[in-house]
Amino acid sequence: LVPYAVYCYLRDKHQTADSTSWGEFANYNEEAIQDLASPDNDFYDEILLHYFTQYHLHLQLKDAVDYAHKNGVILKGDLPIGVGRHSCDAWMYRSLFHMDMQAGAPPDAFATKGQNWSFPTYNWETMAQDNYAWWRQRMEHMGNYFDAIRIDHVLGFFRIWSIPLDAVEGILGKFVSSWPIPSYDFSNAGIEFNEERYCQPYITDELIYNWFGSNSDTVKDVFLDGHKFKPAFANQRMLISFIKDHPEYQHLQAPLLDIYSNVIAIRDDSYNGNYHLRIGMHGTESYKALPHQQQEILNRLFDDYFFRKQNQLWEEEGLKKLTALKNSTDMLICAEDLGMVPAMVESVL
């Protein structure tokens, strides 16, 4: 309660929830927070207000719970997979999050560019060191009010769609955890891996004209250096920032963003010659321009990567995380998800 009240005070004082703008309080420090919460401070009443609010919210919810139970009604709460990038939790426990990544969802029939939810992904390796104490604490607290919970996007406990912070659209993500494809697997399958050809946006004069028509020369002059983006537009977020300051190019934004995802593979974060095939690669102009033999080889690698290679890893990840949650509560745990649901999810649940 104390850290949350101080968080609210600092958020209001600086008029932003982005803690990186809070000067000496940008990084959470327990001793400094306790000093801020001291009754001796002139602004103590501002912190007290948040104690008061949270306490009465607790009382009101408990009254509602008691009334429901007396009338034979059970309550089901909701546990979303993510927390806000500028939330109190992300400020207090920054090491538990990958702040350089964004969670989302892969493309589907309803969102062809994927979804970017913007909140950071979890550092599961660090969380595992104390048996997921942060998650267990959440479950224990929710147990004060609810008889059952729904885990929203339960697939996130098996693997999360992880998008680089410099990307705007969800289509440039990959599943984490997942086993990447080492370059020698491409060689063994009959393809000599060409990183520039597979991982860089595929751009030709013909494609530029097909995409931009009469605006082709403008695109070449302003945004491109030959068949590559200029360094000033190295990623989607840099492009968005530029167009925000130059609205005369707004009509070019959507097709320009599409170019960034005209790739076949994405480098693994640790690199070391490892790659992830881009989901939906078959629809890219980059893929369509390849010889048929290379397409066939990539198809086999794609099917193995998405539908076989990861299955055991995802099963193990889901089991260890969800078991820790289940053992921390007496609530009935329910789960929801849709889209690409791996076969092992049902058996794990």
Side-chain angles (χ1 to χ4, degrees):
L1 178 60
V2 173
Y4 177 75
V6 172
Y7 162 85
C8 292
Y9 165 74
L10 290 170
R11 177 199 63 200
D12 297 344
K13 176 184 177 182
H14 293 278
Q15 298 185 323
T16 177
D18 183 356
S19 61
T20 62
S21 302
W22 294 355
E24 62 180 307
F25 302 109
N27 295 312
Y28 180 82
N29 179 281
E30 178 66 25
E31 184 177 352
I33 297 315
Q34 293 300 327
D35 288 343
L36 273 179
S38 169
D40 297 332
N41 291 321
D42 293 339
F43 50 81
Y44 184 60
D45 283 353
E46 297 178 54
I47 292 177
L48 273 181
L49 174 63
H50 298 293
Y51 295 163
F52 176 87
T53 303
Q54 291 299 308
Y55 176 64
H56 282 279
L57 286 171
H58 161 73
L59 292 180
Q60 291 170 22
L61 184 53
K62 283 296 288 182
D63 284 345
V65 170
D66 293 342
Y67 180 81
H69 287 168
K70 288 177 182 177
N71 288 274
V73 176
I74 65 171
L75 296 179
K76 184 178 181 180
D78 196 70
L79 182 67
I81 185 65
V83 299
R85 179 172 299 277
H86 302 309
S87 64
C88 182
D89 284 276
W91 175 54
M92 289 181 65
Y93 306 108
R94 193 157 294 170
S95 65
L96 300 183
F97 302 90
H98 290 302
M99 301 300 289
D100 58 342
M101 302 301 291
Q102 309 168 95
D108 57 29
F110 303 100
T112 57
K113 304 294 179 62
Q115 300 176 46
N116 184 347
W117 302 332
S118 297
F119 53 74
T121 60
Y122 293 113
N123 185 339
W124 290 112
E125 292 77 12
T126 299
M127 287 183 162
Q129 292 174 9
D130 59 9
N131 193 29
Y132 310 100
W134 183 82
W135 279 101
R136 290 187 287 109
Q137 184 181 39
R138 293 183 82 189
M139 298 292 285
E140 290 165 7
H141 189 70
M142 291 187 73
N144 293 323
Y145 311 108
F146 302 110
D147 307 290
I149 61 162
R150 180 195 75 135
I151 299 177
D152 185 2
H153 192 53
V154 71
L155 287 181
F157 289 91
F158 295 80
R159 79 291 189 274
I160 196 75
W161 189 248
S162 183
I163 307 158
L165 193 59
D166 59 21
V168 174
E169 298 175 329
I171 199 169
L172 288 171
K174 63 181 181 297
F175 286 124
V176 175
S177 297
S178 63
W179 297 117
I181 304 175
S183 56
Y184 58 77
D185 274 5
F186 290 91
S187 300
N188 292 340
I191 294 179
E192 198 60 42
F193 192 85
N194 183 330
E195 181 174 307
E196 182 172 356
R197 174 64 181 85
Y198 285 1
C199 297
Q200 294 299 316
Y202 180 67
I203 304 172
T204 66
D205 288 337
E206 181 181 1
L207 287 174
I208 293 171
Y209 183 78
N210 290 342
W211 289 328
F212 299 100
S214 60
N215 292 306
S216 296
D217 288 340
T218 299
V219 169
K220 290 179 180 180
D221 292 341
V222 177
F223 299 99
L224 300 179
D225 181 6
H227 292 153
K228 296 181 179 180
F229 278 107
K230 292 179 178 179
F233 309 109
N235 57 62
Q236 287 187 329
R237 205 162 291 280
M238 293 173 73
L239 175 77
I240 292 288
S241 178
F242 175 82
I243 292 180
K244 182 178 180 180
D245 294 333
H246 299 83
E248 65 270 24
Y249 300 119
Q250 181 65 46
H251 62 295
L252 302 175
Q253 178 172 296
L256 281 168
L257 287 175
D258 286 343
I259 296 178
Y260 291 94
S261 58
N262 189 27
V263 298
I264 291 169
I266 298 170
R267 286 176 58 167
D268 185 59
D269 296 335
S270 61
Y271 185 44
N272 295 326
N274 294 318
Y275 304 89
H276 301 264
L277 289 175
R278 206 216 82 173
I279 196 166
M281 69 173 188
H282 308 88
T284 67
E285 296 297 333
S286 181
Y287 172 86
K288 294 174 184 177
L290 292 172
H292 180 72
Q293 182 182 9
Q294 286 190 34
Q295 291 180 348
E296 289 296 311
I297 294 172
L298 284 172
N299 290 346
R300 292 194 293 271
L301 289 168
F302 182 94
D303 289 344
D304 180 67
Y305 173 82
F306 281 104
F307 303 111
R308 288 183 292 274
K309 185 182 181 75
Q310 317 299 342
N311 286 352
Q312 182 177 350
L313 173 64
W314 290 345
E315 181 175 6
E316 292 170 354
E317 290 294 320
L319 269 174
K320 65 184 181 183
K321 296 165 191 169
L322 291 172
T323 298
L325 265 65
K326 182 177 182 295
N327 291 340
S328 67
T329 182
D330 292 326
M331 291 184 293
L332 174 66
I333 300 179
C334 309
E336 174 275 336
D337 223 311
L338 46 79
M340 295 175 63
V341 180
M344 87 294 298
V345 171
E346 183 176 353
S347 62
V348 170
L349 296 179

